[in-house]
Amino acid sequence: MERLFVVKVGGAIVEDEAQLTQLLNDFAAIPGKKVLVHGGGRKATKVAALLGIESQMVNGRRITDAPMLEVVTMVYGGLVNKQLVARLQAIGVNALGLTGADMHVVQSHRRPLKDGIDYGFVGDVDLVDGKRLATLIESGITPVMAPLTYDGNGCLLNTNADTIASETAKALAPYYDVTLIFSFEKKGVLAQPDNDDSVIPVITREDFIRYQADGTISGGMIPKIENALSAIDQGVQQVIITLATAIDGHHGTVIKK
């Protein structure tokens, strides 16, 4: 099968002009077919503050009440998404911005109470329509996917961008040889948090269990690797966690079974 890259870029990179410019140029240089999935949480927090809306976080996850849902819809689906699309078009990538509601491409359900916490309008993904995405891709379009899904009944839901990237990669695995890249501000998964050069080159499921137990891997890296392993289990050929300016498939941490 033909190779395809799904690249996820986090909100911290979106906010850093130099890193974002480099990432977009590198993304444009990836040969063949590709998909970009983006975050934007830092921008949403800034815009919410300007509007007098308090951001509430629990274990790194955003509580999304009705006012915050309006903010993330404006920021993720509008400001960030369309700026990325415009910049990609300027460097020769025929990009199309999508939320989950567009073409019914990502459907989710509202997250139920979890450990007694009501996350509000947060969506957990039920399905990604890989066939429709593949149809777009085969017509020469590069999807740029915002971290917004919908419930099939007219309600948009705030959804973790790593999850959207992982679920999108899985949905496209029947059609392509998929490499999923999580790009962020570090060179990869680090053995020593204060040493940027202590990149762990390969992590298997057994390694992950061990690294969690001894505290090497913690915090937000845990769900990122869980998403990576889930993608591998469901047909994605390779998952790489790497620096935003090193998305060539040859750097960072490779996640394997």
Side-chain angles (χ1 to χ4, degrees):
M1 287 191 289
E2 191 172 1
R3 196 171 189 188
L4 176 139
F5 285 85
V6 177
V7 178
K8 186 266 178 175
V9 54
I13 305 304
V14 168
E15 286 287 282
D16 187 308
E17 177 57 32
Q19 290 191 77
L20 180 60
T21 297
Q22 184 66 54
L23 178 131
L24 293 177
N25 286 329
D26 291 347
F27 181 78
I30 293 174
K33 296 174 170 59
K34 50 210 169 193
V35 176
L36 185 65
V37 180
H38 67 84
R42 294 191 183 189
K43 176 69 76 173
T45 298
K46 288 181 180 179
V47 171
L50 290 172
L51 295 172
I53 297 170
E54 181 183 358
S55 293
Q56 302 176 63
M57 308 291 287
V58 176
N59 297 324
R61 304 283 189 177
R62 186 182 300 276
I63 302 295
T64 307
D65 58 12
M68 184 57 71
L69 180 64
E70 293 187 351
V71 171
V72 298
T73 300
M74 289 187 289
V75 173
Y76 300 163
L79 182 62
V80 174
N81 188 269
K82 297 314 170 189
Q83 285 179 339
L84 291 174
V85 168
R87 292 180 66 165
L88 286 170
Q89 292 287 359
I91 54 177
V93 178
N94 188 21
L96 174 68
L98 297 172
T99 69
D102 297 298
M103 295 173 44
H104 191 93
V105 75
V106 188
Q107 185 168 332
S108 63
H109 62 273
R110 184 168 170 173
R111 180 176 296 168
L113 286 177
K114 191 172 182 179
D115 298 324
I117 299 167
D118 182 359
Y119 284 90
F121 294 96
V122 168
D124 291 327
V125 174
D126 294 318
L127 64 90
V128 176
D129 194 329
K131 184 175 182 180
R132 289 187 181 182
L133 281 175
T135 299
L136 282 179
I137 292 164
E138 287 304 310
S139 68
I141 292 169
T142 295
V144 178
M145 301 179 67
L148 293 167
T149 57
Y150 92 125
D151 65 357
N153 295 305
C155 182
L156 287 165
L157 296 169
N158 183 15
T159 300
N160 180 269
D162 282 355
T163 301
I164 290 177
S166 177
E167 294 298 326
T168 297
K170 292 179 202 174
L172 289 169
Y175 306 97
Y176 302 101
D177 181 346
V178 178
T179 293
L180 170 60
I181 298 178
F182 291 112
S183 68
F184 70 143
E185 59 271 24
K186 301 291 185 180
K187 293 181 179 179
V189 183
L190 303 180
Q192 303 166 32
D194 297 328
N195 181 357
D196 285 345
D197 293 322
S198 65
V199 176
I200 303 171
V202 176
I203 295 176
T204 64
R205 187 176 297 278
E206 290 74 20
D207 295 331
F208 178 50
I209 293 169
R210 186 175 71 256
Y211 287 138
Q212 270 190 281
D214 67 19
T216 300
I217 294 175
S218 60
M221 187 56 67
I222 291 174
K224 193 181 295 289
I225 296 178
E226 288 174 341
N227 278 316
L229 288 167
S230 175
I232 292 291
D233 286 342
Q234 296 188 48
V236 174
Q237 292 299 306
Q238 182 174 232
V239 181
I240 301 170
I241 300 174
T242 190
L243 190 67
T245 53
I247 59 168
D248 56 6
H250 302 294
H251 296 82
T253 300
V254 177
I255 309 299
K256 294 184 176 181
K257 283 189 178 180

